[in-house]
Amino acid sequence: MATKGKFQAIKGTRDLLPPETELWNRVEQTAREVFGTFGFGEIRPPIFEPTELFARAVGGETDIVSKEMYSFEDRDESSVSLRPEATASVCRAYIEHNMHVLAQPVKLYYMGPMFRRERPQKGRYRQFYQIGAEVLEAQQQGQSDSAKSTSKDAAVDAEVIEMVMAFFAKLELDGVQLEINSIGCRACRPKYVEALRSELLKVKDRLGPDSQRRIDTNPLRVLDSKLESEQEIIAGLPRIGDYLCETCAKQYAEVKRQLAVREVAYKENWRLVRGLDYYMRTTFEITASGLGSQNAVCGGGRYDGLVEILGGMPTKGIGFAIGEDRLILSLLEAGKGDAAKGRDVYLAWMGEKAQDPAIRAARALRQAGFRVELPLVEQKFGKALGQADKIGARYALILGEDEVASGQWTLKTLGDGTQQNLTEAQLLEFLKKQRA
Ligand code: HAM
């Protein structure tokens, strides 16, 4: 938006800048490593897709699709939308590339920007970033709800949750809390929804306008309400756990058993329903500290049948997405950012004769992987040290005409002010040792 001729990033979007982007890269690198150890490969789907894909997958009545998408008519008059999430895209890609012929399950992860037109606040943006993973498995005929497949599904659920928890543990994220629930399946959930609706109708006039509306549209979402005045009423409502069919109940019990085997701590939350329509059975959310009201850093669950809804064959699915912005916020709040990493070496050269050796030294150091700042014009000694300090350099390498003549360079450790004289070979040796 232009104000007085100046441009600003659009509301709800922001620039990610150094040194924070260093932390973003570290987080993403860690995700690649951890997910790689679980056998996941990366998928990079496009950032816009047909609007209808999200409407069908996420649900036309959800807030995400009905209010928050950035949609526009393309020139051929088809409606396209910036992706508000990526599960729909991954399922579309699974169908489009016939991934059902690959070894099953197919395990994919992704990272990148998502777009939702929400009211911006701390931890909530209109362009935000997710790191997500999905496990898809084409169903063999007649196998869908056998005891064996129920326990296999539970194992997949538990492993996916274990993976995201391992990732958070590796990042030393603080205050991580996992909540899980089962929201049933096509067979048992409708009965629960009916029971819920009829109870809600009895207390309708004690509910706020949002919840009143949801009695008709989606009574499950009433359980999500944060309204203080509704909490007592909600606590007395029927619980999904009492309505699960035998298969769902068995699967949920097995997920919990397997989480325990994997030493993953969890809390059950019968009110955890999630805001996207594609879920069934296992759902989960993870919160972390330092985030205020937007404290969910990860949400996910099982979505058997979604691929079929999008035109593919019967396929099981489970996945999650982490809000990377929130993850980074939480790490920074806990002082685990390690983001302010400066340069390793500031190369303070002085005198005409020192310039070329300085250029060559910078080249050698950079080839060895050090971060080097090489001033492009000569600087006075005091200014050079001031600059080295400002950019957070660990060492100043001082190269004057004396040093050039003697072949001995002066290395100053900026933290304690100590100095030593070293040949170029000794210098490299010393820096490598310090790095290790
Ligand atoms: P979701 O719960 O809508 O799920 O989003 C997952 C996470 O993305 C949230 O827990 C939050 O951390 C982050 N997030 C969502 N909206 C925003 C926002 N406006 N600003 C910042 N962060 C945000 C999904 O998107 C599903 N596709 C997850 C999934 C994958 N389920 C199965 N597979």
Side-chain angles (χ1 to χ4, degrees), residues 360-387:
R360 284 193 286 269
R363 187 161 169 263
L365 286 167
R366 285 172 178 153
Q367 276 172 356
F370 295 103
R371 302 154 180 249
V372 178
E373 188 66 24
L374 175 71
L376 300 173
V377 294
E378 185 179 358
Q379 283 177 330
K380 292 223 165 63
F381 190 61
K383 183 157 179 224
L385 286 187
Q387 192 69 8

Side-chain angles (χ1 to χ4, degrees), residues 163-236:
M163 178 168 91
V164 61
M165 295 299 272
F167 171 56
F168 287 158
K170 188 127 197 205
L171 292 172
E172 298 179 7
L173 186 66
D174 268 357
V176 177
Q177 283 212 16
L178 164 68
E179 292 192 345
I180 61 168
N181 191 21
S182 173
I183 58 165
C185 66
R186 247 176 305 173
C188 56
R189 192 171 39 208
K191 286 180 206 136
Y192 173 63
V193 170
E194 266 330 296
L196 191 59
R197 184 175 276 134
S198 77
E199 284 308 304
L200 284 169
L201 283 171
K202 290 184 199 156
V203 293
K204 185 168 180 181
D205 28 324
R206 289 163 58 206
L207 297 171
D210 282 341
S211 293
Q212 288 196 358
R213 203 168 19 83
R214 285 179 172 145
I215 298 179
D216 288 329
T217 57
N218 189 353
L220 285 176
R221 291 310 302 274
V222 175
L223 305 180
D224 251 1
S225 160
K226 306 269 180 316
L227 263 189
E228 202 43 56
S229 59
E230 295 180 345
Q231 299 309 307
E232 206 186 306
I233 305 169
I234 293 172

Side-chain angles (χ1 to χ4, degrees), residues 58 64 68 84-88 110 114-116 118-119 121 123-130 132-134 274-276 278-279 284-286 294-303 318-327:
V58 177
I64 296 177
E68 297 170 358
E85 61 105 54
T87 308
Y110 50 85
M114 309 290 156
F115 305 84
R116 294 183 195 175
E118 295 191 82
R119 197 170 45 76
Q121 64 180 88
R124 191 159 76 192
Y125 311 97
R126 291 179 170 179
Q127 173 171 340
F128 61 100
Y129 294 79
Q130 282 187 345
E134 315 289 347
R274 314 266 307 125
L276 302 87
Y278 50 62
Y279 292 113
F284 59 97
E285 254 172 40
I286 303 171
Q294 301 302 312
N295 64 349
V297 278
C298 176
R302 175 162 284 279
Y303 50 85
I318 161 101
F320 63 80
I322 295 161
E324 191 176 0
D325 309 74
R326 296 183 190 176
L327 173 56

